[in-house]
């Protein structure tokens, strides 16, 4: 089976992505007022300063999912991709951003995601999905990738896992295909590619999304 037919076969399935809603924390209990001091010797008591309420702060590395694919790249990378292998999000490119079973199961559960592809239906292109995941999903994903033969290392502020395959199609055409995954904090960047590996691609996405 050549790569063109493999891409067409992969287009047969559809993953429906839903946006999950967040949880509202329960308000803290209100402290009971303390007794006011009794004036003595003509000295007016000073009221105690109110206790400041807790302020929720977003962790600096928490992923904020962009609404547009253009926003997951730096301006330089976006311009390069538009020159190398346009267009962005051709509707005919339906390849998955991963073929890993654990990864597909997580995506099928409908976490907040954005999928972006480059190229036309052909023997050259890529697909990336940026997904918000929880700690349990992140741990399961790392384990699943390792058990599937991915090489993983601590990098880019999280875990980077890669796998790559080279071969020759039935038409005697050499091909290169693979996947790169970045799992960091509450974010997962999954990319699958065929004969198209832009230099610094995943690194640019991480730098753009996390800074």
């Amino acid at each position: 089976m050549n790569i063109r037919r493999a891409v067409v076969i992969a287009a047969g399935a559809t993953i429906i992505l839903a946006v999950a809603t967040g949880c509202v924390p329960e308000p803290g209990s209100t402290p009971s007022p303390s007794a006011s001091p009794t004036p003595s010797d003509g000295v007016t008591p000073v009221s105690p300063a109110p206790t400041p309420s807790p302020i929720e702060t977003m962790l600096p590395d928490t992923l904020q999912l962009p609404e547009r694919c253009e926003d997951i790249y730096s301006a330089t990378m976006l311009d390069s991709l538009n020159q190398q292998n346009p267009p962005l999000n051709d509707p005919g490119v339906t390849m998955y951003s991963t073929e890993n079973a654990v990864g597909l199961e997580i995506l099928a559960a409908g976490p907040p995601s954005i999928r972006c592809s480059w190229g036309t239906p052909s023997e050259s292109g890529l697909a990336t999905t940026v997904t918000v995941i929880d700690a349990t999903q992140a741990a399961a994903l790392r384990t699943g990738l390792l058990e599937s033969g991915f090489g993983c290392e601590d990098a880019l502020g999280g875990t980077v896992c890669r796998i790559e395959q080279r071969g020759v199609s039935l038409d005697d055409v050499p091909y290169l295909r693979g996947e790169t995954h970045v799992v960091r904090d509450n974010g997962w960047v999954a990319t699958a590619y065929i004969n198209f590996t832009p230099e610094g691609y995943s690194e640019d996405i991480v730098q753009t999304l996390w800074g």
Side-chain angles (χ1 to χ4, degrees), residues 36-74:
S36 301
T38 302
S40 176
D41 299 330
V43 179
T44 302
V46 178
S47 300
T51 303
S53 60
I55 300 176
E56 288 191 14
T57 56
M58 186 70 71
L59 294 175
D61 288 337
T62 299
L63 172 66
Q64 299 297 297
L65 192 67
E67 295 182 357
R68 308 183 313 148
C69 283
E70 289 87 348
D71 296 332
I72 75 171
Y73 307 104
S74 67

Side-chain angles (χ1 to χ4, degrees), residues 69-81 156 182 189 198-211:
C69 283
E70 289 87 348
D71 296 332
I72 75 171
Y73 307 104
S74 67
T76 300
M77 177 59 72
L78 183 62
D79 181 66
S80 176
L81 293 169
L156 300 180
V182 181
V189 180
E199 184 176 356
Y201 179 83
S202 295
E203 290 82 354
D204 182 83
I205 295 176
V206 170
Q207 178 62 34
T208 302
L209 296 181
W210 278 275

Side-chain angles (χ1 to χ4, degrees), residues 159-180:
T159 302
V160 180
C161 299
R162 307 177 191 270
I163 196 167
E164 195 167 85
Q165 177 186 8
R166 295 178 182 270
V168 179
S169 69
L170 296 178
D171 299 327
D172 293 328
V173 178
Y175 67 83
L176 171 67
R177 64 185 305 163
E179 295 183 16
T180 300

Side-chain angles (χ1 to χ4, degrees), residues 87-162:
L88 172 62
N89 293 338
D90 186 305
V93 177
T94 55
M95 67 183 293
Y96 295 150
S97 56
T98 183
E99 295 181 355
N100 179 264
V102 176
L104 290 174
E105 182 178 349
I106 291 173
L107 291 176
S113 302
I114 182 171
R115 178 185 176 278
C116 311
S117 68
W118 288 94
T120 59
S122 65
E123 297 176 353
S124 177
L126 63 77
T128 292
T129 302
V130 180
T131 306
V132 175
I133 57 177
D134 59 32
T136 300
Q137 291 170 322
L141 182 60
R142 292 188 186 96
T143 300
L145 293 173
L146 283 169
E147 292 178 348
S148 297
F150 282 74
C152 298
E153 62 177 338
D154 293 334
L156 300 180
T159 302
V160 180
C161 299
R162 307 177 191 270

